Amino acid sequence: MKKMKLAALFAGLESVFTFSSCVNDGDSGPNYDLYEIVTVEDGSIFGGPVLKGDAWGYTYTPVASSVLAGLKASDGSYYKRVQVGIKLMEGEAITEGKKSYKVSEVGLIAILNYKDFNVQADTLKNEYALVSLEDSNNKIWAINGYVNVPFTFKTKEQLNMNDFHLYAVEAKEDTLVTRLRQTKGADDAYQTGGALISFHMPFNDMEFRDIFNQVVPKSDTIVVKVTAKGENDKELVSTVKCSASNMQGSY
């Protein structure tokens, strides 16, 4: 079987995990059929835990719950966003038009940084300039209810993902405008760091939902626009198109 990798999202991804360490370097262990960034759905909708892939929109169903044992945190819950290697069940093959596959083995490579959107922008008192809203390998992408933002920042101290917040600003026709904000830092910082955070859209929050519902999709497609304060009073902007129904169907 031809091996498939998610080149655009996967290449160099571990290097931007400033806040999460790599779990497995991928050089040893099974010869996986695919490498994916996935969202772990806990089974409340599907009847059992499944993986929803970012790259091709595939759904991966384990042949047994034990297949996903390596994706559990110490409290027994599943990590929501992970980078994994996937071995398909014997007899399964990637087929054009097929979107669901059974899997016999899943290996955890890395845990992505993930958190909810901030739903109260007025509580964020500071805003420091970011360097960019992308890195050498990745630009933003949105799927399965997550807006995934790679970015570069300046710092004089160790930061974590709770020092960065994404929130909805407004709806403009088919576009959801959001703002990424660094709230801890220093104006004279000169060291740079890179990170990738998956921000989950909080559809259970009325304020966010009211803004999102004002977006008018075009053939089920919406635009997510991420803005941020840049250096020298520059406004940073990055946009991505995604499926409106896919984003809403994840909560």
Side-chain angles (χ1 to χ4, degrees):
M1 179 188 302
K2 182 180 179 181
K3 303 296 184 293
M4 302 174 67
K5 292 188 179 182
L6 177 52
L9 305 183
F10 197 82
L13 192 56
E14 292 166 11
S15 67
V16 299
F17 280 2
T18 300
F19 314 134
S20 294
S21 60
C22 182
V23 177
N24 187 334
D25 62 14
D27 294 332
S28 59
N31 185 17
Y32 295 116
D33 297 311
L34 305 97
Y35 294 89
E36 269 267 40
I37 296 170
V38 300
T39 299
V40 183
E41 299 282 4
D42 64 11
S44 57
I45 299 175
F46 298 94
V50 298
L51 308 180
K52 304 285 287 186
D54 282 18
W56 306 281
Y58 296 161
T59 297
Y60 305 100
T61 303
V63 296
S65 59
S66 59
V67 172
L68 302 184
L71 307 187
K72 287 187 175 182
S74 58
D75 63 1
S77 64
Y78 289 103
Y79 296 113
K80 294 296 185 182
R81 294 282 292 162
V82 288
Q83 185 181 21
V84 295
I86 296 171
K87 196 169 185 65
L88 300 177
M89 184 182 72
E90 186 175 354
E92 285 275 36
I94 301 298
T95 305
E96 185 176 355
K98 185 177 179 180
K99 291 293 186 179
S100 182
Y101 296 92
K102 293 183 178 180
V103 299
S104 60
E105 195 161 353
V106 174
L108 177 62
I109 296 174
I111 304 161
L112 274 71
N113 305 291
Y114 57 89
K115 60 182 295 187
D116 282 338
F117 269 54
N118 187 295
V119 294
Q120 294 180 307
D122 57 356
T123 65
L124 305 176
K125 303 304 181 184
N126 300 318
E127 185 172 25
Y128 294 94
L130 297 175
V131 178
S132 70
L133 285 177
E134 59 182 55
D135 59 42
S136 59
N137 297 295
N138 304 291
K139 295 185 178 182
I140 68 169
W141 75 98
I143 192 170
N144 296 325
Y146 285 88
V147 179
N148 306 275
V149 187
F151 58 93
T152 308
F153 58 92
K154 286 188 174 182
T155 183
K156 293 176 68 175
E157 57 190 315
Q158 182 65 40
L159 302 179
N160 62 54
M161 65 178 175
N162 293 320
D163 300 318
F164 299 90
H165 308 271
L166 187 70
Y167 56 92
V169 176
E170 62 180 336
K172 286 188 175 181
E173 299 180 346
D174 65 337
T175 301
L176 175 69
V177 181
T178 69
R179 184 80 172 178
L180 178 64
R181 196 161 173 172
Q182 178 181 342
T183 57
K184 183 179 179 180
D187 291 329
D188 60 347
Y190 61 90
Q191 295 179 328
T192 59
L196 168 64
I197 301 177
S198 291
F199 292 95
H200 185 252
M201 290 184 167
F203 286 102
N204 292 326
D205 178 78
M206 184 177 297
E207 183 176 344
F208 174 84
R209 192 168 63 248
D210 286 346
I211 295 175
F212 187 90
N213 287 342
Q214 294 176 48
V215 178
V216 182
K218 295 181 180 179
S219 301
D220 191 47
T221 298
I222 66 171
V223 177
V224 176
K225 179 179 180 180
V226 180
T227 66
K229 179 180 180 179
E231 298 177 282
N232 301 317
D233 297 321
K234 179 182 178 182
E235 181 82 352
L236 301 178
V237 178
S238 186
T239 62
V240 64
K241 292 182 178 181
C242 59
S243 165
S245 57
N246 176 283
M247 297 300 284
Q248 295 185 77
S250 66
Y251 74 100

